[in-house]
Structure formats: C-alpha cells, structure tokens
C-alpha cells in the first residue's frame, strides 16, 4: 500500500513537471491551474491502474500447484469506474498438489485453501470436501478422524454442485 501511495505521488509530480515544461516551451500560454489538474488526473489514473493490475500481478507470482478457484469482484459508489468494469479484490486459491485422501474414503478430500485479498494478509485454511454429497467443512480443533477415516465433529456446509471450492478440490486429480 505504501509503495502504491509513493507511485501515485511520483506520477502526480511527473505529470505536473511535464505540464510545466510544455508551458515553458509554449511561452506561458497554458492556464496556471493546468499543472495541478494534470497531477491529480495522473494520480487517479495510477491508482486505478494499480487496482486493476493487482490480480494479474498476484496471479503471476503464485507458486505452481495453486489453482484459482474463485474470484470476488468489487464495485463501489466511491469508485464509479467499477460499475463499468469491476476489478478483482479477493480470490481463493487451492493447492491441488497437496490434496490428501483416505484410502477407505476416496470421495472426501483435504486441501489447503488460501484466501488472498488486496491490502490483506494471505490466510490459509484446510478444507475437507465431500465430493459425492456436495458439502465442505473447515478443519478445526473440533474435528476428529476415527477408524476408517470417518470424520466426526465437522460443521458441514452443503453447497451447490457448481461450488467453486468443492469443484476445484474434487476436480483435481
């Protein structure tokens, strides 16, 4: 966030400098208000560019094996351009290379799930997905695994067949 703030300030100073240089070349024909307006516009454009570029930059740096299961787009009144084209503010990624199953219960899978957010730390949660019953549960201290891989104490959430987290976990082979 601090780096983006510095980038916005640098863009504003650069735009004002270019306008002042052009004004000097033109012999002072530009109005005096033009430099601060150009600086403000440059700062807004830089901020918007950083908002829309965050997801692509973050996606490129993901390690191999992390698959993006779901993206959450943002629209806000104080960002009117997001009503034209919303930007990805958060996303969920599944580590498909570390999915674990029990030999006696192959339709239930454990997967590490990562929650990424703009200006937020990455959160990791292990999720248990039941591929045949379309349900999932977050692994917590209340869950225990008994003989034969039977799970007890899970707070199952029933989801639709097209749930992105369950379908990504169950679709990974």
């Amino acid at each position: 966030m601090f780096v983006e703030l510095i980038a916005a300030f640098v863009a504003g100073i650069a735009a004002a400098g270019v306008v002042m240089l052009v004004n000097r070349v033109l012999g002072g024909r530009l109005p005096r208000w033009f430099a601060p307006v150009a600086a403000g516009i440059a700062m807004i454009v830089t901020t918007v560019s950083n908002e829309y570029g965050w997801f692509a930059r973050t996606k490129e740096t993901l390690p191999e094996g992390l698959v993006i299961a779901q993206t959450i787009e943002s629209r806000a009144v104080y960002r009117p351009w997001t009503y034209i084209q919303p930007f990805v503010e958060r996303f969920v990624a599944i580590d498909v290379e570390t999915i674990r199953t029990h030999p006696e219960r192959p339709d239930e899978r454990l997967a590490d799930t990562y929650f990424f957010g703009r200006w937020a730390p990455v959160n990791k949660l292990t999720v248990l997905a039941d591929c045949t019953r379309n349900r999932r549960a977050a692994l917590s201290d209340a869950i225990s695994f008994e003989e034969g891989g039977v799970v007890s104490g899970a707070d199952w959430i029933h989801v639709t067949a097209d749930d992105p987290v369950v379908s990504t976990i169950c679709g990974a082979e």
Side-chain angles (χ1 to χ4, degrees):
M1 184 169 165
F2 183 71
V3 173
E4 291 182 13
L5 180 66
I6 297 300
F9 281 135
V10 169
I13 291 169
V18 168
V19 168
M20 290 166 48
L21 182 66
V22 169
N23 192 30
R24 178 166 278 210
V25 170
L26 294 176
R29 293 187 184 141
L30 294 177
R32 295 186 72 178
W33 55 263
F34 201 67
V37 168
I41 290 171
M43 292 169 79
I44 291 171
V45 167
T46 301
T47 302
V48 171
S49 174
N50 283 331
E51 284 179 345
Y52 283 94
W54 171 80
F55 176 65
R57 286 190 309 271
T58 305
K59 183 178 173 182
E60 288 174 7
T61 62
L62 291 178
E64 195 159 326
L66 277 183
V67 174
I68 296 173
Q70 183 178 17
T71 59
I72 295 93
E73 294 180 337
S74 175
R75 288 190 169 112
V77 173
Y78 58 90
R79 295 175 180 148
W81 53 87
T82 59
Y83 286 98
I84 297 168
Q85 175 66 44
F87 69 96
V88 176
E89 188 173 46
R90 297 178 288 147
F91 67 92
V92 179
I94 310 289
D95 189 354
V96 296
E97 291 186 358
T98 62
I99 292 177
R100 301 166 297 280
T101 59
H102 191 278
E104 294 180 28
R105 302 184 74 81
D107 291 332
E108 291 179 2
R109 300 177 181 181
L110 278 174
D112 292 330
T113 307
Y114 296 90
F115 299 89
F116 291 80
R118 182 161 163 75
W119 298 324
V122 177
N123 293 313
K124 177 183 173 186
L125 178 69
T126 304
V127 174
L128 178 63
D130 187 342
C131 299
T132 56
R133 297 186 191 137
N134 289 329
R135 60 185 187 162
R136 61 185 158 133
L139 220 58
S140 66
D141 293 338
I143 294 179
S144 62
F145 295 94
E146 298 170 6
E147 185 101 13
V150 177
V151 179
S152 65
D155 187 16
W156 291 102
I157 299 170
H158 291 276
V159 296
T160 60
D162 62 343
D163 179 68
V165 173
V166 172
S167 61
T168 302
I169 294 171
C170 294
E173 294 296 330

